[in-house]
Amino acid sequence: MRLLVTDLLPRSSAATDGEVISPARTCVVLDTSALIADPECVFTFPDADAVIPLVVIEELDQHKTRLDDVGRAAREVIRTIEDLRVGNGGDIRQPVAVPGGGTVRIETNGLHLDQVEAKGLDPHKPDNRILAAALGQAEQRPVRVVSNDAALRIKAAQLGLDAEEHHRLLGRRDDERPVGWITAEVSSELIDDVFASPHGVAVDALIGTEAMLDDAVGTNEFAVLRSGSQSVLVRRQGDRLIGLTRPAEAWGLRPRSKEQHFALDLLLDPSVRVVALDGIAGTGKTLLALAAGLEQVMERGLYDKVAVYRPVVPVGRAELGFLPGGLEEKLDPWMTAVTDALVALTERRSHADARTLLEEMTERDKLSMEAVTYLRGRSLQGTYILVDEAQNLEPPTLKTILTRVSEGTKVVFTGDTSQIDAPYLSERNNAIAVLIDAFEGEDVFGHVRLAHCERSEVANLAAMRL
């Protein structure tokens, strides 16, 4: 959502010339990476005065022609700042009030380049000029440098400045984010009740220590209920705990762990239209999601086709245009992981069988593999969408994907938030993290973190010890 400041602010909201800013308010100096990661960043500091050094505008101008998420974000930030400027008489050199109580302005002067150079930093580099602007502000009041560039934050600390990373939607740390399930000690009677009733047990009927399950298990979250040697897996649906008493299976694939069982339960439930699976490499995220898609398209007929999307994150100079061939051939290196998952789902674990299945489903328009880049403007009807490697997606792209979803469509995001290849993203502000924070508790959403590597003994050792 892009705010039109001209609709929200009167022209009188700009500070008058010569107005002295209260030293009690903290100054927040925003760098380019923070604005790229969250184009609405300027509106997220209600109790502070946001300052954007002019060199940041220059960097945004250099990024705006890029045909990716960074270019799109740069253009949106530039338009937002232009709305602020026009809505306040054409001048943004003085503080301009923004919704929420904060202010924003562009700083041209007051750069302490001599202090930057004295520390051995090149005063001509944009990052160092941003730090010089922050040093100038620090002479008047407390200053925080907000940047998603770790190197810039380190340099800021060496200059005696407070520095922090910007987290879109006030996202939680990765270790604070819910895993989607808990383990709880309960009475044997409760376990017996779960097994006896196909409709589960009412949460509001629980008493004593078991009543804590009402708060501990949210909508579409799971629990392992234990009592001595007895145990049962349950999922909360509405106000009831429903037992997962039947073996789950999709396209011949059976879960190897409780987390995989939880994941399949969400993947095979058409009422849960948005699913997020995160976890380390080898936990089966892509395999489970693809198997569930094939099962519901080819066997159950719930969806018309499986559409697999992956972000194209180049390494070095290996952009799409750098590779030979047409679009399908260019995308092939990024889609190999999906082909590998198909190999695991064939009866003989054969690459030839997987290729035959892929070609057959593609010819019948039952399976497509595309880059997220080409999703804008689409409207996806009756489709099972798998967005793989979603940790490399910017939050604005997450919104683009979800706004493409029409009735009868399900979308599954898989990824490993510890393996992020995209610039300006971290474990806290990537698409999966933002999705979990924003959709938690919604009836149409479910999330499970898979913790155990099931690929092989070697892969498990590597994941745990390296």
Side-chain angles (χ1 to χ4, degrees):
M1 179 185 68
R2 177 169 158 256
L3 296 177
L4 293 178
V5 182
T6 51
D7 296 332
L8 297 173
L9 299 175
R11 287 186 58 175
S12 60
S13 62
T16 59
D17 290 342
E19 181 178 350
V20 178
I21 303 169
S22 171
R25 287 172 64 97
T26 297
C27 172
V28 174
V29 177
L30 303 176
D31 96 320
T32 311
S33 64
L35 292 167
I36 291 291
D38 181 5
E40 296 178 17
C41 180
V42 294
F43 302 109
T44 58
F45 301 97
D47 300 319
D49 298 314
V51 171
I52 303 173
L54 187 61
V55 67
V56 169
I57 305 300
E58 179 72 9
E59 286 198 299
L60 291 171
D61 188 50
Q62 293 173 1
H63 286 312
K64 70 181 182 183
T65 57
R66 292 177 52 164
L67 301 177
D68 57 10
D69 287 342
V70 173
R72 183 215 55 76
R75 293 188 294 273
E76 183 173 343
V77 174
I78 291 171
R79 289 194 299 267
T80 297
I81 295 174
E82 173 65 359
D83 284 344
L84 283 166
R85 186 189 70 82
V86 173
N88 290 274
D91 188 358
I92 197 172
R93 292 173 296 175
Q94 299 296 331
V96 171
V98 295
T103 69
V104 62
R105 67 185 175 92
I106 293 177
E107 178 59 63
T108 306
N109 302 312
L111 276 66
H112 285 199
L113 295 172
D114 54 338
Q115 295 185 36
V116 167
E117 191 169 14
K119 295 291 185 180
L121 300 176
D122 185 350
H124 297 97
K125 288 188 175 181
D127 281 0
N128 297 335
R129 296 183 71 84
I130 292 170
L131 293 174
L135 288 170
Q137 296 299 312
E139 285 199 340
Q140 307 172 36
R141 52 192 168 151
V143 167
R144 296 200 318 268
V145 177
V146 177
S147 171
N148 284 27
D149 182 344
L152 189 144
R153 296 198 301 271
I154 293 171
K155 290 192 288 186
Q158 292 302 107
L159 292 170
L161 297 167
D162 290 335
E164 63 183 37
E165 185 179 10
H166 175 65
H167 307 306
R168 186 184 177 98
L169 294 181
L170 302 178
R172 291 167 288 194
R173 295 200 314 267
D174 195 55
D175 57 359
E176 295 176 339
R177 192 163 291 108
V179 298
W181 61 277
I182 65 166
T183 299
E185 292 292 331
V186 298
S187 66
S188 59
E189 289 79 12
L190 176 57
I191 293 179
D192 291 339
D193 290 343
V194 171
F195 276 108
S197 174
H199 302 295
V201 297
V203 177
D204 55 11
L206 300 176
I207 59 175
T209 58
E210 293 170 356
M212 64 89 182
L213 293 172
D214 190 8
D215 294 325
V217 184
T219 301
N220 290 325
E221 292 184 347
F222 298 86
V224 182
L225 304 183
R226 299 184 183 278
S227 177
S229 60
Q230 289 182 288
S231 66
V232 65
L233 307 179
V234 297
R235 169 181 154 200
R236 179 164 184 171
Q237 294 179 266
D239 61 353
R240 305 188 73 82
L241 296 176
I242 311 296
L244 309 184
T245 54
R246 297 181 180 179
E249 184 175 335
W251 200 252
L253 180 69
R254 292 187 176 182
R256 293 185 177 183
S257 65
K258 58 182 178 297
E259 294 102 321
Q260 288 194 352
H261 197 154
F262 299 153
L264 271 182
D265 191 65
L266 293 175
L267 292 168
L268 295 173
D269 185 348
S271 69
V272 184
R273 300 184 57 200
V274 182
V275 176
L277 303 180
D278 68 325
I280 61 174
T283 51
K285 306 177 297 294
T286 303
L287 187 63
L288 290 166
L290 186 59
L294 294 175
E295 173 74 19
Q296 293 173 96
V297 170
M298 304 301 291
E299 299 294 331
R300 304 187 187 183
L302 292 177
Y303 307 101
D304 185 57
K305 65 179 292 187
V306 176
V308 181
Y309 290 89
R310 295 191 100 210
V312 178
V313 180
V315 178
R317 296 180 180 273
E319 301 281 353
L320 266 182
F322 175 82
L323 299 172
L327 179 59
E328 183 176 344
E329 293 172 288
K330 291 177 185 291
L331 288 175
D332 188 64
W334 279 275
M335 297 301 176
T336 303
V338 179
T339 306
D340 291 343
L342 283 174
V343 172
L345 293 174
T346 60
E347 187 175 352
R348 298 183 299 173
R349 294 179 180 264
S350 163
H351 285 81
D353 290 350
R355 179 59 62 180
T356 300
L357 175 63
L358 178 61
E359 291 175 355
E360 177 185 343
M361 293 188 66
T362 302
E363 289 177 1
R364 295 170 56 188
D365 199 26
K366 292 297 182 181
L367 176 66
S368 65
M369 295 190 289
E370 306 175 45
V372 173
T373 309
Y374 304 103
L375 189 58
R376 189 178 298 278
R378 301 280 303 279
S379 180
L380 301 169
Q381 309 270 357
T383 306
Y384 180 98
I385 303 171
L386 167 57
V387 184
D388 199 27
E389 300 293 339
Q391 80 277 359
N392 284 323
L393 293 178
E394 302 274 353
T397 306
L398 168 70
K399 181 177 179 180
T400 298
I401 293 170
L402 290 176
T403 53
R404 303 302 100 200
V405 175
S406 300
E407 290 299 324
T409 288
K410 183 186 185 92
V411 57
V412 179
F413 295 88
T414 65
D416 178 2
T417 55
S418 67
Q419 294 185 353
I420 295 176
D421 303 311
Y424 308 133
L425 292 183
S426 70
E427 292 187 12
R428 307 182 204 179
N429 69 353
N430 65 86
I432 289 183
V434 170
L435 173 65
I436 295 169
D437 289 337
F439 275 37
E440 182 183 5
E442 297 293 334
D443 291 338
V444 297
F445 175 72
H447 159 245
V448 172
R449 178 178 300 170
L450 294 95
H452 300 288
C453 179
E454 305 288 350
R455 183 170 288 158
S456 67
E457 182 180 1
V458 172
N460 186 52
L461 285 172
M464 294 297 103
R465 299 187 181 182
L466 297 180

